[in-house]
Amino acid sequence: MSILRLYIDETWPAEPACDWALLGRDRQPTSEGRSEPRHWPAAERCEVILAGSQAVWLSARLPKVSKREHERVLRFAFEDQLVQEPDSQHLTLTDHSGETARVIVVACDRLRQIVAQLSALGRMPAILRAELEGDEPNNGVWRFDMAAHHGVLRGTGVNAFPIDLADNHAPSSLVAVIAAARTANSLPARLTISRAPSAPTIDAAAWQATLGLPVEMGPAYRWATLPTGTNLLHGEFRHSGGRNALLRQMRPALLLITTALIVNLVASLVTVLWQRQQIADTRSNMQTVFKSAFPNQPLVDASAQMRSQLNQMRRSRGLLGDDDLVALLATVGEALGADARDSLGSIKFESGRLELTLTPQAIPNIDAMIKRLQARGLSVGRLGDGVLALRRDITK
């Protein structure tokens, strides 16, 4: 899936151009640039990195509560730290370990503006996350990620926060933070600076002298490859297009499966209707034959009546009917084969019904015997333990 990742700062959309990166299936940039929306490349999915001071990351004590009560308790817990009214702020819980919770706060109006504008452009974001939530540096080291007009100061176990850049000198806010850390005896071992290509050049030695802290240059800052953070699109901003996008990807396969099912259903229906017509034609032919052969007989069940008449005609000529004792025994012998010798304890015959009493050693194989008898056109019923009742099945 191709992903268009946008780096939106506080000047957008008043300043319509923004940095973008097109990510491939490996989530690595295949192309990057800065342009207005009409020049953004096509992609299957859009994601947004909310840059700089548009978000703040706060911590507070928060008791364990159910998900249903999260929003109410969050607003109450962080109310004292919010500059604006709590109802005007969008709070996103990033983690909650023990009694300490961390949330990213963004103004609701700003989120509505971004989402509405991108939606109007046909670039509805599936994920919108804050630049503040990135990978942490090694323990005891602070990292300052520099973009064009701001930087993000990160440390292990603390909330990252943005710092504005005035020129290529160390920002006064950064100087104040370093001084406060020195006073609190929590000064890091060194400061690593990672700068984006668009960031101003700096003199690491001059920064080191100003901060009174070892300063070293790290690898280039790449906002496009920040690790996956918490999606801010929840609540009223919940993105409903993710499922729709998945459905759009699956639509060809679903269409093929649906078409195959419909074709199979139609073919099965045609087969059933054809078989029913064949059965109806066969019954009609049987009735015609029966009426022609036995004009004075009332028609009830053509198949059974024809078999009965046929057996009567056979007996009148000294032949066996297929439901006579000898004929039934012959069929039983064919079905059971050599097993018949040790399987039959006794037999009883009356009016076309043959009862077989099996020997004890044959009872465990009774189910297999029944299947073999039924395969020879006999109707088989069980009268008790080891006793079978056989009749000629008139439907076969």
Side-chain angles (χ1 to χ4, degrees):
M1 174 188 294
S2 59
I3 300 173
L4 175 64
R5 187 166 286 176
L6 305 175
Y7 187 69
I8 290 181
D9 61 22
E10 62 273 8
T11 66
W12 193 89
E15 171 58 48
C18 74
D19 293 336
W20 56 262
L22 185 64
L23 310 185
R25 295 184 180 275
D26 58 354
R27 301 254 172 173
Q28 294 300 312
T30 58
S31 60
E32 299 180 65
R34 179 179 178 85
S35 61
E36 296 183 358
R38 65 176 180 272
H39 298 304
W40 293 346
E44 299 172 85
R45 173 174 167 147
C46 179
E47 297 180 359
V48 172
I49 301 294
L50 199 60
S53 59
Q54 297 175 92
V56 294
W57 207 355
L58 305 176
S59 298
R61 293 174 62 86
L62 184 70
K64 291 285 187 180
V65 295
S66 64
K67 289 184 178 180
R68 182 178 301 177
E69 297 180 332
H70 256 159
E71 184 174 355
R72 177 182 61 82
V73 175
L74 279 177
R75 292 186 182 281
F76 177 78
F78 287 90
E79 183 175 9
D80 293 341
Q81 300 185 55
L82 299 178
V83 178
Q84 303 294 331
E85 289 295 324
D87 290 341
S88 69
Q89 305 297 300
H90 182 68
L91 279 65
T92 301
L93 184 66
T94 59
D95 58 85
H96 186 188
S97 57
E99 294 186 353
T100 302
R102 300 202 296 173
V103 299
I104 289 179
V105 183
V106 184
C108 292
D109 288 344
R110 179 55 176 159
L111 274 183
R112 292 190 189 102
Q113 181 188 37
I114 293 173
V115 171
Q117 187 68 27
L118 289 174
S119 179
L121 293 170
R123 302 282 188 160
M124 182 66 186
I127 292 178
L128 189 149
R129 50 156 305 192
E131 181 185 22
L132 299 180
E133 195 177 7
D135 55 343
E136 296 182 348
N138 296 328
N139 193 24
V141 177
W142 285 3
R143 190 177 75 245
F144 192 55
D145 293 335
M146 292 180 58
H149 304 291
H150 71 274
V152 176
L153 184 62
R154 308 183 193 276
T156 303
V158 297
N159 299 332
F161 58 92
I163 294 177
D164 290 334
L165 301 178
D167 48 35
N168 57 357
H169 299 293
S172 57
S173 297
L174 181 59
V175 174
V177 170
I178 296 295
R182 182 176 288 109
T183 301
N185 198 28
S186 59
L187 198 66
R190 65 182 182 278
L191 176 69
T192 300
I193 299 178
S194 296
R195 55 179 296 276
S198 59
T201 58
I202 66 168
D203 184 345
W207 279 48
Q208 180 170 308
T210 302
L211 299 175
L213 180 74
V215 174
E216 65 180 18
M217 300 302 297
Y221 175 50
R222 304 188 69 194
W223 61 267
T225 57
L226 285 172
T228 302
T230 306
N231 192 357
L232 306 184
L233 298 179
H234 59 90
E236 68 169 289
F237 302 101
R238 185 180 300 278
H239 175 59
S240 61
R243 182 178 300 176
N244 294 334
L246 179 61
L247 289 176
R248 284 195 297 271
Q249 293 180 26
M250 296 177 62
R251 187 175 297 168
L254 291 175
L255 181 60
L256 179 61
I257 293 173
T258 302
T259 303
L261 289 175
I262 292 174
V263 170
N264 184 62
L265 179 61
V266 171
S268 299
L269 180 60
V270 170
T271 301
V272 170
L273 293 176
W274 178 80
Q275 290 175 342
R276 286 185 176 180
Q277 184 61 44
Q278 291 293 102
I279 293 173
D281 292 344
T282 302
R283 286 177 177 172
S284 177
N285 292 336
M286 290 175 62
Q287 291 173 1
T288 300
V289 172
F290 180 83
K291 290 178 181 179
S292 300
F294 310 103
N296 297 323
Q297 291 287 338
L299 178 61
V300 179
D301 185 336
S303 177
Q305 287 176 279
M306 290 178 68
R307 173 167 281 180
S308 176
Q309 291 290 340
L310 178 60
N311 284 333
Q312 289 181 18
M313 294 176 67
R314 284 177 173 174
R315 293 187 185 101
S316 66
R317 289 169 173 75
L319 302 175
L320 291 174
D322 63 0
D323 58 353
D324 286 335
L325 173 61
V326 176
L328 290 176
L329 286 175
T331 304
V332 171
E334 292 177 2
L336 302 183
D339 294 337
R341 180 179 304 170
D342 299 322
S343 299
L344 303 180
S346 64
I347 62 174
K348 179 181 177 180
F349 177 76
E350 184 178 357
S351 301
R353 180 171 177 267
L354 177 63
E355 290 185 12
L356 301 179
T357 301
L358 302 180
T359 58
Q361 61 266 30
I363 292 177
N365 300 323
I366 191 170
D367 291 333
M369 291 182 178
I370 290 175
K371 291 181 180 179
R372 289 155 68 181
L373 292 168
Q374 290 174 336
R376 295 299 194 282
L378 298 179
S379 178
V380 185
R382 294 191 184 191
L383 299 181
D385 189 15
V387 181
L388 303 178
L390 312 180
R391 282 187 180 275
R392 180 66 65 182
D393 191 347
I394 62 173
T395 64
K396 295 184 179 181

